[in-house]
């Protein structure tokens, strides 16, 4: 009994067209003048990074801004934003500052909360909105009076502050640091209540 030779399926029409184009391009003569810029220099092959060329950006339609409120006080990237129950807004960013916009918006100007020596990466309001906190990569958490923006105290100890959170029913603030520790303070006195370790 003779074994039949396996049949090879015909390439699809799309595959045939691609192969035909590939062969044509391989056989194509390229005029070197086509590979020179206006100054006569040879063009270099550049990998496409998928981004837009400057000429492409010019062709893009204008972006419509639908924002009802705009806050543009930060001079670098914004890393965190918190909104109080009463509508005050707190933000922190790469410019080593936090900004507090009292509620209602527009009633008073924004208050710059300065004092951190590195990016402000975490922020939040206490359970009754009386205080707000900012945490930064300088290893400190600062507590502020929400009504005036006055610095109440600085809590130190952790490494770079990654996040912070207020207790939902008391004046206790917690923060997590890049070194895997969790710090808990009594905000009214600044006393460190506990440091939790063991996270990697």
């Amino acid at each position: 009994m003779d074994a039949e030779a396996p049949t090879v399926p015909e390439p699809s029409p799309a595959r045939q067209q691609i192969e035909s184009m590939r062969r044509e391009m391989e056989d194509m003569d390229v005029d070197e003048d086509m590979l020179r810029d206006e100054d006569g220099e040879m063009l270099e092959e550049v990998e496409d990074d998928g981004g837009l060329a400057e000429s492409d950006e010019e062709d893009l339609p204008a972006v419509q801004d639908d924002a009802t409120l705009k806050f543009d006080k930060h001079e670098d990237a914004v890393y965190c934003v918190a909104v109080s129950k009463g509508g005050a807004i707190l933000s922190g960013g790469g410019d080593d500052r936090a900004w507090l916009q009292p509620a209602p918006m527009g009633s008073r100007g924004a208050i710059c909360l300065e004092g951190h020596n590195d990016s402000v990466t975490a922020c939040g309001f206490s359970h009754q909105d009386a205080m707000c906190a900012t945490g930064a990569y300088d290893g400190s958490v600062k507590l502020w009076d929400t009504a005036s923006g006055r610095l109440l105290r600085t809590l130190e100890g952790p490494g770079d502050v990654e996040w912070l959170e207020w207790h939902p029913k008391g004046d206790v603030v917690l923060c997590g640091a890049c070194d895997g520790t969790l710090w808990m303070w009594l905000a009214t006195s600044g006393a460190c209540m506990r440091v939790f370790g063991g996270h990697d």
Side-chain angles (χ1 to χ4, degrees):
M1 180 178 215
D2 293 327
E4 287 185 33
T7 57
V8 177
E10 279 289 314
S12 70
R15 172 57 61 194
Q16 290 174 1
Q17 186 177 9
I18 290 170
E19 286 300 313
S20 173
M21 289 174 65
R22 185 184 59 78
R23 284 190 298 274
E24 284 178 31
M25 289 179 71
E26 284 177 353
D27 296 337
M28 188 183 292
D29 289 327
V30 178
D31 184 2
E32 281 199 24
D33 289 335
M34 293 173 58
L35 302 176
R36 296 185 184 278
D37 64 13
E38 304 96 38
D39 299 327
E41 299 292 322
M42 286 296 287
L43 296 174
E44 294 181 32
E45 188 174 336
V46 179
E47 267 190 53
D48 183 9
D49 63 1
L52 293 176
E54 285 182 33
S55 60
D56 293 336
E57 290 176 8
E58 294 169 4
D59 297 336
L60 293 176
V63 176
Q64 182 177 342
D65 186 354
D66 293 331
T68 56
L69 295 172
K70 184 178 180 180
F71 185 82
D72 56 5
K73 299 289 188 186
H74 284 284
E75 296 172 1
D76 202 340
V78 175
Y79 295 136
C80 57
V81 176
V83 180
S84 73
K85 294 178 205 92
I89 300 172
L90 179 63
S91 62
D95 54 5
D96 305 349
R97 295 186 201 151
W99 285 89
L100 174 63
Q101 176 62 62
M105 285 292 283
S107 62
R108 294 188 349 216
I111 302 166
C112 183
L113 306 179
E114 294 184 288
H116 286 290
N117 297 317
D118 207 339
S119 298
V120 178
T121 56
C123 62
F125 290 92
S126 65
H127 72 293
Q128 293 181 330
D129 291 348
M131 290 182 275
C132 58
T134 55
Y137 279 165
D138 62 7
S140 70
V141 172
K142 294 189 180 292
L143 304 180
W144 312 86
D145 177 72
T146 302
S148 67
R150 181 175 57 87
L151 178 64
L152 300 173
R153 62 189 46 85
T154 300
L155 310 172
E156 295 183 6
D160 296 353
V161 175
E162 299 282 338
W163 60 267
L164 69 80
E165 191 71 39
W166 285 90
H167 189 281
K169 295 184 179 178
D171 290 327
V172 174
V173 65
L174 296 101
C175 86
C178 67
D179 60 5
T181 58
L182 171 78
W183 294 68
M184 182 168 64
W185 293 277
L186 181 59
T188 52
S189 68
C192 181
M193 299 171 68
R194 188 144 185 207
V195 177
F196 302 88
H199 295 281
D200 290 332

